[in-house]
Amino acid sequence: IYNNLQDDYPPATKADITTWDLGSCLPDQHAVNLVFESLANEDTWMQMRFLDPCAATYMEIWNEAFDLHLVSFALGAAAKASKHRWVNQMLPWMNGRRLSLVADKYIIKGDILIDDRAETLRKYRMHWPEAKLATVRYPYHNPDDPVPNGTFLAESYADPGRAWDQLHQYVMEQLG
């Protein structure tokens, strides 16, 4: 999103994303504000696509085999409405029925949580110690911001197809 906003800043690379906190990765607060303003815009979500097409396929398989529930967060009413429309467009078999937009994902109990934010995984583990946790390995998963012990780490954000293949295998093994 940041790289598409304007030409006033040099583009960010994967190497620049060293922490989940954008304020530590982008040049200044104005750049961070531009990203968050974009995320609050309803058009932003409708333009997003999956990093790999197999993600939607795997989620549909999970939905047929289990009770798939998407838990996410959106900034503001327009972004929430747009995220619902995005789910209806990209995952039409869900019909938006099992989408919860909440800031604290731990309020929704599930058997497995897949999330990229280590803090979210730690809070979920604290509230639901029996839940399985999974994520894709990112550079910001490091000793300063660790994922909880026992979290399945798919390799790697740089190869989304491979990461989704690994997540799919893990989910099917855990719940199958």
Side-chain angles (χ1 to χ4, degrees):
I1 293 172
Y2 164 77
N3 287 346
N4 296 324
L5 291 176
Q6 63 178 22
D7 296 328
D8 293 349
Y9 295 102
T13 67
K14 291 178 180 178
D16 295 321
I17 310 302
T18 57
T19 175
W20 200 88
D21 175 23
L22 285 179
S24 301
C25 302
L26 298 181
D28 58 31
Q29 189 58 45
H30 177 67
V32 173
N33 292 345
L34 288 173
V35 170
F36 283 109
E37 287 170 14
S38 177
L39 289 172
N41 182 321
E42 61 183 302
D43 295 333
T44 298
W45 291 104
M46 296 309 292
Q47 296 169 11
M48 287 192 184
R49 297 295 173 254
F50 287 109
L51 293 175
D52 193 277
C54 69
T57 301
Y58 288 151
M59 284 192 276
E60 187 168 11
I61 292 168
W62 300 343
N63 187 60
E64 290 172 5
F66 318 110
D67 183 23
L68 179 66
H69 197 103
L70 298 179
V71 182
S72 188
F73 177 69
L75 285 166
K80 287 179 182 180
S82 187
K83 232 180 199 189
H84 274 281
R85 282 195 306 280
W86 183 88
V87 167
N88 287 335
Q89 176 182 327
M90 301 299 289
L91 306 170
W93 41 266
M94 283 201 77
N95 297 319
R97 290 182 311 242
R98 290 180 302 229
L99 172 63
S100 296
L101 298 176
V102 297
D104 295 315
K105 294 178 182 177
Y106 62 82
I107 68 170
I108 308 291
K109 184 179 186 218
D111 296 314
I112 296 180
L113 176 70
I114 301 171
D115 201 276
D116 66 322
R117 189 175 188 191
E119 180 183 3
T120 299
L121 294 167
R122 289 191 303 269
K123 285 181 180 180
Y124 206 85
R125 171 63 46 81
M126 186 173 61
H127 287 86
W128 309 111
E130 70 283 359
K132 306 292 184 192
L133 304 176
T135 190
V136 174
R137 188 180 303 272
Y138 286 90
Y140 50 79
H141 293 152
N142 60 57
D144 294 330
D145 190 19
V147 298
N149 289 336
T151 299
F152 176 77
L153 288 164
E155 297 288 341
S156 133
Y157 76 99
D159 186 352
R162 181 174 172 221
W164 274 97
D165 289 345
Q166 292 174 349
L167 286 170
H168 177 63
Q169 181 178 351
Y170 175 76
V171 168
M172 297 307 288
E173 287 172 358
Q174 296 303 309
L175 300 178

